[in-house]
Amino acid sequence: MLRKKRIGIVTSGGDCPGINAVIRAVAKNAFENDMDVIGIKDGYHGIVLNDYKELRRDDVSGILTVGGTILGTSKKANPYRYAIEKGDKLEFKDLSKQAIRNIEKMGLDCLVCIGGDGSLGLAYRLYKDGVPIVGVPKTIDNDIRGTDITFGFETAVAIASEGIDRVHTTAQSHHRVMIVEVMGHNAGWLALHSGVASGGDIILIPEIPYDMDAIVKRVRERSKRGKRFSIVVVSEGAKPRGGDVVIQRIVKESSDPIRLGGIGFVLGEQIEKITGIETRTVVMGHLQRGGIPVPFDRVLATHLGVNTFKLIKKKMFGHMVGVKKMSFVPVSLKIVAGGIRRVPKDSPLVASAISVGKRFGV
Ligand code: F6P
């Protein structure tokens, strides 16, 4: 009797609304094609530790709108540099051979890795080491090369925009400067889109280092025009011209150990000191990653999952499905592993924002 084909699914890196919709779409297509599906637990930890469970139809039913990932995830697990606690110290070991042996033991014909740039970079390494792997781009940051959009981004934009909308009225009432710090890592997509969507007056993104004089000038100009409040939307990765990012913590176990955060408070203090205008800071933080995905992300994630299954059927390992000009295309993981996708200097959206009076701190 012919052995049933088996797909493994792993979710790795920061969670993001829409992951479960991808799992559901891949698994439902697999079941329809008489394949088995296993879910690997807690990202690459599950691969190193051989920790997984069989997924049945019931497991993937009713999860379309559920946030997070039903499989668990990790931003720390890296088979090539696996952190092991030794007393109060950390030791790093290359456990990739063990991970690959486990994948063989799991009997996988294909491993689907749903991840951001870091996780897909690891997927590319595993592929080069012989694992039949396909990727699915996932992040609220929208910074993955080879795709115009990632699921989770629209949800994060909606949450950040709601936050900015809400501080608008309180800024107006108190004649204050309100700063809203949003995520996005080293790319400014989230700040740019939520800033434009919610009419932020000053939008600061990592790709355009800011100048404090320009920010202060804008705040004062607005005051003179009778607008006695200003909204600053700042990306966690924004930095002053000639200066550096604000680091919130270092996560030693992680392959990308720097966690950004805190720039909003630094800016707030400086703006208040220079202008004399009372200033408050709000950090949107992990609210942007939690909860139910917006309908756009559910549709995108479902469509991506279905197209990922098509890649699996065609045995196009070492690829992910990207979205290019509104259609789905295979993209080599080598491209994805080459770095992040940032807001280009000549971004049409930056130009449009400037034309309606927004400023980028320059
Ligand atoms: O990549 C997603 C992201 O939410 C970034 O926007 C942010 O910089 C980072 O993850 C936060 O990481 P953590 O979940 O470790 O706090």
Side-chain angles (χ1 to χ4, degrees), residues 14 75 139-141 183-185 236 251 259-260 286 289:
K75 293 186 80 162
T139 171
I140 64 160
D141 303 337
M183 280 187 168
H185 204 213
E236 61 180 3
V251 183
R259 297 291 179 271
L260 300 168
H286 293 79
R289 278 196 354 220

Side-chain angles (χ1 to χ4, degrees), residues 129-152:
D129 285 342
V131 177
I133 205 161
V134 299
V136 184
K138 163 239 64 159
T139 171
I140 64 160
D141 303 337
N142 202 27
D143 62 350
I144 298 181
R145 285 200 186 163
T147 188
D148 295 341
I149 183 121
T150 53
F151 69 85

Side-chain angles (χ1 to χ4, degrees), residues 57-70:
R57 278 182 193 269
D58 266 2
D59 296 313
V60 297
S61 177
I63 62 169
L64 172 65
T65 61
V66 179
T69 159
I70 59 163

Side-chain angles (χ1 to χ4, degrees), residues 287-310:
L287 288 176
Q288 295 158 107
R289 278 196 354 220
I292 59 170
V294 295
F296 178 90
D297 280 334
R298 297 177 209 172
V299 173
L300 176 60
T302 301
H303 224 160
L304 268 179
V306 173
N307 280 278
T308 300
F309 187 75
K310 288 182 185 161

Side-chain angles (χ1 to χ4, degrees), residues 100-130:
I100 293 167
R101 267 198 309 277
N102 285 341
I103 293 170
E104 281 161 10
K105 273 199 260 167
M106 290 172 198
L108 297 185
D109 296 283
C110 178
L111 175 65
V112 177
C113 173
I114 305 172
D117 62 305
S119 304
L120 294 178
L122 290 173
Y124 181 55
R125 280 183 82 173
L126 286 170
Y127 165 71
K128 284 196 294 182
D129 285 342

Side-chain angles (χ1 to χ4, degrees), residues 4 41 84 164-165 184 208 313 340 357:
K4 262 174 117 180
K41 295 191 192 163
I84 298 165
I164 303 164
D165 290 345
I208 309 178
K313 292 251 336 184
I340 62 164

